[in-house]
């Protein structure tokens, strides 16, 4: 058996862990601030709870449990890749959804429809050329949270990748350097 850190879906999650923090803090609204924009102060526990609730809603809509949910925090980056030096931070979350291959496209569509009903902006919605795999992504304009779902090349699951907006750390916390 291949260790979890070597499975194809896990490689996609690791790649996203590198890319998400680089893009999470480059916009102009409160949920997607650049390194020089004013930010809300948030405790890691508050953002973690919100992120997990969003991921659990995806899992409930898919009709399966989240597999391997994990989060990490990192410093925010500016539009040119510069790292903020004042403690600004973002949270990333990752999991898998063990959805049977035959149900993956229908599951992505069901989740997309749920997001639309909740007023989220759909930022990606596509089926890959093979017709059996796809991706859907959303952005919550109220919180700046983004979630991307994509079927894995191995077709054994749907990868869940979540990113929060950038926040100032709560008193006594240093999530940008955790």
């Amino acid at each position: 058996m291949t260790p979890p850190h070597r499975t194809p879906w896990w490689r996609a999650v690791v790649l996203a862990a590198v890319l998400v923090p680089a893009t999470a803090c480059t916009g102009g609204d409160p949920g997607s601030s650049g390194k020089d924009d004013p930010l809300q102060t948030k405790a890691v526990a508050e953002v973690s709870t919100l992120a997990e609730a969003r991921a659990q809603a995806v899992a409930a809509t898919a009709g399966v449990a989240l597999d391997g949910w994990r989060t990490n925090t990192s410093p925010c980056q500016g539009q040119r890749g510069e790292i903020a030096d004042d403690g600004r931070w973002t949270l990333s979350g990752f999991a898998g959804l063990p959805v049977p291959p035959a149900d993956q496209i229908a599951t992505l569509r069901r989740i997309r429809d749920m997001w639309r009903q909740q007023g989220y902006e759909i930022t990606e919605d596509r089926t890959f050329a093979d017709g059996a795999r796809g991706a859907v992504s959303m952005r919550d304009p109220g919180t700046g949270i983004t979630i991307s779902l994509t079927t894995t090349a191995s077709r054994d699951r749907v990868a869940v990748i979540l990113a929060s907006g950038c926040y100032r750390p709560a008193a006594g916390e240093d999530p940008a350097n955790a």
Side-chain angles (χ1 to χ4, degrees):
M1 182 169 155
T2 304
H5 66 279
R6 295 180 193 246
T7 59
W9 79 270
W10 183 243
R11 280 186 235 135
V13 168
V14 170
L15 177 62
V18 173
L19 297 177
V20 168
T23 60
C25 302
T26 57
D29 61 62
S32 177
S33 300
K35 80 173 195 69
D36 296 321
D37 295 340
L39 299 173
Q40 296 178 358
T41 298
K42 297 270 187 186
V44 172
E46 179 182 355
V47 178
S48 293
T49 298
L50 178 60
E52 186 169 2
R54 295 290 167 76
Q56 290 294 349
V58 166
T61 302
V64 297
L66 286 175
D67 180 27
W69 174 251
R70 64 185 114 306
T71 61
N72 69 329
T73 59
S74 60
C76 291
Q77 293 185 1
Q79 293 180 357
R80 291 174 291 285
E82 67 277 15
I83 302 289
D85 58 6
D86 62 357
R88 295 166 191 249
W89 66 278
T90 184
L91 180 130
S92 302
F94 311 96
L97 295 173
V99 176
D103 299 336
Q104 291 179 357
I105 295 297
T107 298
L108 292 177
R109 289 180 180 146
R110 219 172 32 254
I111 293 166
R112 176 206 58 208
D113 293 345
M114 181 236 347
W115 286 340
R116 279 190 179 140
Q117 290 173 350
Q118 294 177 347
Y120 301 142
E121 173 189 352
I122 305 302
T123 57
E124 179 180 28
D125 182 11
R126 66 187 178 111
T127 301
F128 299 158
D130 65 9
R133 297 181 310 116
V136 64
S137 301
M138 72 80 150
R139 183 178 167 284
D140 176 355
T143 64
I145 286 179
T146 61
I147 302 177
S148 295
L149 306 175
T150 188
T151 56
T152 61
S154 64
R155 304 274 326 267
D156 64 339
R157 65 190 60 247
V158 173
V160 178
I161 304 163
L162 179 144
S164 76
C166 287
Y167 303 101
R168 290 204 177 276
E173 291 187 342
D174 188 12
N177 297 303

